[in-house]
């Protein structure tokens, strides 16, 4: 049976061509900054987003956590939306790695505004934690792949400059946002002090994320990568996958968005759906009606070879990706309609 894996866009496997490219990569010891493939990936990504420097890491959690560590000292506070990945899905890493606490804000569909942030910036009084960082996410995972345009980010960046607060972006799916907004990648450097970019999501590389920033910031971050045990040796063998993805798999993200929107359109007519978050990019999130238990729903999908995750008790998430084809889409739509008719 054809397995349709919609748990995440991290489930993609490197294609034959990507693996060939990885096999042929020139290698060296990256702790000595001697790996030409890692160096090429870092300089390419830095240039692409308009930054001086970049750092290749094992995961998006690592690039986010190193960024937060580099921007803060223990006792500081970071402001982010309450649904943020850095707050919810990194194992409490902000507290563990940086000794920093979070001041979460309830955003609108995951998006927070400059005035909301300004209201949470702590005055410089010794009793209060020191606001040290603002962190945004683009696209927004828990908010159904919703995204910010740079026009929406500009006032937030301006506020951060006014208060001399660094602004970090968890850009795990920044390329998905760029596909929809048509913003220039390079313009991101006007607004953010650092960005974490994943290559093992929709871009289809097996491993790795890149952190971009100023030369000074990345030099400090490189030290923390070592400290966190993330200094890799012949890392070019995996970095090559990211380089290949950058060359070949960016434009095709539009296909994932097209398919996700089709799934959304199908779900809008399904009897078992209580609430569907509008589909913006490659993430489809919907809530099941109370009488349709999520375990039962997921089991009916599984019988057809379709696997998905819950995001909370009755909330289901489908993520489209490189290895999700039109044929799979068709099978999914047929299955959803079938379940819908049974529930009617
Ligand atoms: C996937 C993801 C990350 C990084 O997760 P890793 O599993 O560590 O690669 C960070 N932020 C968001 C929003 C993500 O979806």
């Amino acid at each position: 049976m054809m397995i349709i894996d919609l748990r995440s866009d991290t489930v993609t496997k490197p294609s034959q061509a990507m693996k060939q490219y990885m096999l042929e990569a020139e290698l060296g010891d990256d702790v000595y900054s001697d790996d030409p493939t890692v160096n090429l990936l870092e300089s390419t990504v830095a240039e692409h987003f308009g930054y001086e420097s970049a750092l290749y890491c094992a995961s998006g959690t690592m690039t986010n956590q190193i960024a937060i560590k580099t921007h803060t000292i223990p006792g500081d506070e970071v402001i982010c939306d309450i649904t943020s990945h850095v707050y919810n899905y990194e194992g409490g890493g902000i507290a563990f790695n940086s000794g920093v606490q979070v001041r979460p804000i309830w955003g609108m569909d995951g998006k927070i505004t400059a005035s909301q942030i300004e209201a949470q910036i702590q005055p410089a009084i010794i009793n209060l934690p020191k606001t040290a960082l603002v962190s945004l996410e683009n696209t927004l995972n828990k908010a159904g792949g919703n995204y910010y345009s740079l026009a929406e980010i500009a006032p937030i960046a301006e506020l951060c400059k006014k208060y001399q607060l660094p602004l970090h972006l968890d850009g795990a799916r920044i390329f998905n946002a760029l596909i929809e907004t048509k913003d220039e990648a390079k313009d991101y450097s006007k607004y953010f002090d650092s960005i974490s970019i994943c290559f093992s999501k929709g871009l289809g590389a097996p491993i790795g994320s890149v952190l971009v920033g100023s030369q000074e910031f990345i030099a400090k971050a490189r030290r923390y990568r070592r400290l966190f045990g993330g200094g890799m040796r012949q890392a070019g063998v995996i970095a090559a996958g990211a380089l290949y993805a950058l060359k070949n798999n960016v434009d095709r993200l539009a296909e994932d968005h097209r398919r996700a929107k089709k799934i959304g359109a199908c779900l809008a007519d399904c009897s078992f759906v209580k609430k569907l978050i509008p589909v913006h990019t490659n993430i489809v999130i919907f809530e099941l009606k109370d009488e349709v238990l999520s375990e039962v729903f997921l089991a009916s999908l599984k019988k057809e070879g379709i696997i998905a995750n819950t995001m909370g008790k009755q909330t289901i998430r489908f993520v489209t990706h490189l290895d999700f084809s039109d044929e799979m889409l068709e099978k999914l739509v047929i299955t959803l309609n079938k379940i819908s008719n049974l529930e009617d």
Side-chain angles (χ1 to χ4, degrees), residues 153-185:
I153 286 164
I156 297 175
E158 203 173 306
L159 176 85
C160 289
K161 283 214 172 78
K162 180 174 149 197
Y163 285 90
Q164 292 183 308
L165 285 174
L167 181 59
H168 172 70
L169 178 66
D170 177 355
R173 296 188 181 83
I174 192 172
F175 285 105
N176 296 83
L178 285 168
I179 289 278
E180 295 298 324
T181 60
K182 311 276 194 290
D183 284 328
E184 281 293 326

Side-chain angles (χ1 to χ4, degrees), residues 59-61 64 85 90 137 139 141 170 172-173 198 200-201 209:
S59 71
T61 298
N64 277 331
H85 193 281
E90 300 187 5
E137 190 174 304
T139 65
N141 177 16
D170 177 355
R173 296 188 181 83
C198 287
S200 61
K201 295 260 159 83
S209 285

Side-chain angles (χ1 to χ4, degrees), residues 8-10 58-64 83-86 89-90 137-142 170-173 196 198-201 208-209 283 317:
S8 175
D9 43 5
T10 55
S59 71
T61 298
M62 187 176 254
T63 39
N64 277 331
T83 64
S84 299
H85 193 281
V86 293
Y89 299 118
E90 300 187 5
E137 190 174 304
N138 210 15
T139 65
L140 293 137
N141 177 16
K142 241 180 130 102
D170 177 355
R173 296 188 181 83
S196 156
C198 287
F199 287 89
S200 61
K201 295 260 159 83
S209 285
I283 300 176
R317 186 184 77 160

Side-chain angles (χ1 to χ4, degrees), residues 42-43 46-47 50-54 189 212-218:
E42 289 177 344
S43 60
E47 199 192 332
Y51 288 85
E52 286 173 359
S53 197
S189 59
V212 293
S214 69
Q215 202 134 36
E216 192 192 346
F217 174 85
I218 293 296

Side-chain angles (χ1 to χ4, degrees), residues 42-295:
E42 289 177 344
S43 60
T44 305
V45 177
E47 199 192 332
H48 189 79
F49 286 95
Y51 288 85
E52 286 173 359
S53 197
L55 183 69
Y56 182 56
C57 293
S59 71
T61 298
M62 187 176 254
T63 39
N64 277 331
Q65 291 298 319
I66 288 176
I68 293 165
K69 181 79 189 162
T70 309
H71 285 302
T72 61
I73 59 165
D76 281 349
E77 194 163 82
V78 49
I79 294 175
C80 62
D81 176 71
I82 195 153
T83 64
S84 299
H85 193 281
V86 293
Y87 181 47
N88 292 281
Y89 299 118
E90 300 187 5
I94 294 179
F96 190 94
N97 297 313
S98 299
V100 164
Q101 64 187 28
V102 173
R103 187 161 300 254
I105 295 180
W106 281 101
M108 185 71 157
D109 303 326
K111 296 202 273 188
I112 56 178
T113 63
S115 63
Q116 280 184 304
I117 295 167
E118 188 163 30
Q120 298 303 333
I121 295 173
Q122 303 301 302
I125 297 173
I126 57 160
N127 299 18
L128 302 174
K130 183 173 181 289
T131 307
L133 178 66
V134 176
S135 181
L136 302 183
E137 190 174 304
N138 210 15
T139 65
L140 293 137
N141 177 16
K142 241 180 130 102
N146 196 7
Y147 54 83
Y148 291 93
S149 67
L150 278 179
E152 292 170 299
I153 286 164
I156 297 175
E158 203 173 306
L159 176 85
C160 289
K161 283 214 172 78
K162 180 174 149 197
Y163 285 90
Q164 292 183 308
L165 285 174
L167 181 59
H168 172 70
L169 178 66
D170 177 355
R173 296 188 181 83
I174 192 172
F175 285 105
N176 296 83
L178 285 168
I179 289 278
E180 295 298 324
T181 60
K182 311 276 194 290
D183 284 328
E184 281 293 326
K186 268 197 171 57
D187 288 341
Y188 268 78
S189 59
K190 293 184 196 157
Y191 302 112
F192 291 98
D193 296 279
S194 54
I195 311 179
S196 156
I197 301 147
C198 287
F199 287 89
S200 61
K201 295 260 159 83
L203 292 183
I207 301 162
S209 285
V210 171
L211 180 65
V212 293
S214 69
Q215 202 134 36
E216 192 192 346
F217 174 85
I218 293 296
K220 209 171 151 193
R222 195 174 287 279
R223 185 175 168 76
Y224 284 126
R225 185 184 69 175
R226 177 66 182 172
L227 188 151
F228 286 169
M232 299 186 282
R233 301 296 179 170
Q234 285 73 36
V237 71
I238 48 174
L243 272 171
Y244 182 91
L246 206 51
K247 259 188 236 152
N248 298 285
N249 294 345
V250 172
D251 293 340
R252 63 150 306 285
L253 290 172
E255 290 286 294
D256 300 342
H257 298 185
R258 175 179 66 76
R259 292 185 183 113
K261 279 176 188 148
K262 286 228 166 116
I263 299 172
C266 168
L267 286 168
D269 293 332
C270 283
S271 61
F272 53 79
V273 175
K274 181 173 173 184
K275 200 174 119 204
L276 169 71
I277 297 181
V279 179
H280 301 280
T281 51
N282 71 326
I283 300 176
V284 183
I285 295 180
F286 59 98
E287 201 184 322
L288 294 166
K289 285 191 176 149
D290 298 348
E291 61 270 27
V292 185
L293 294 177
S294 58
E295 306 85 66

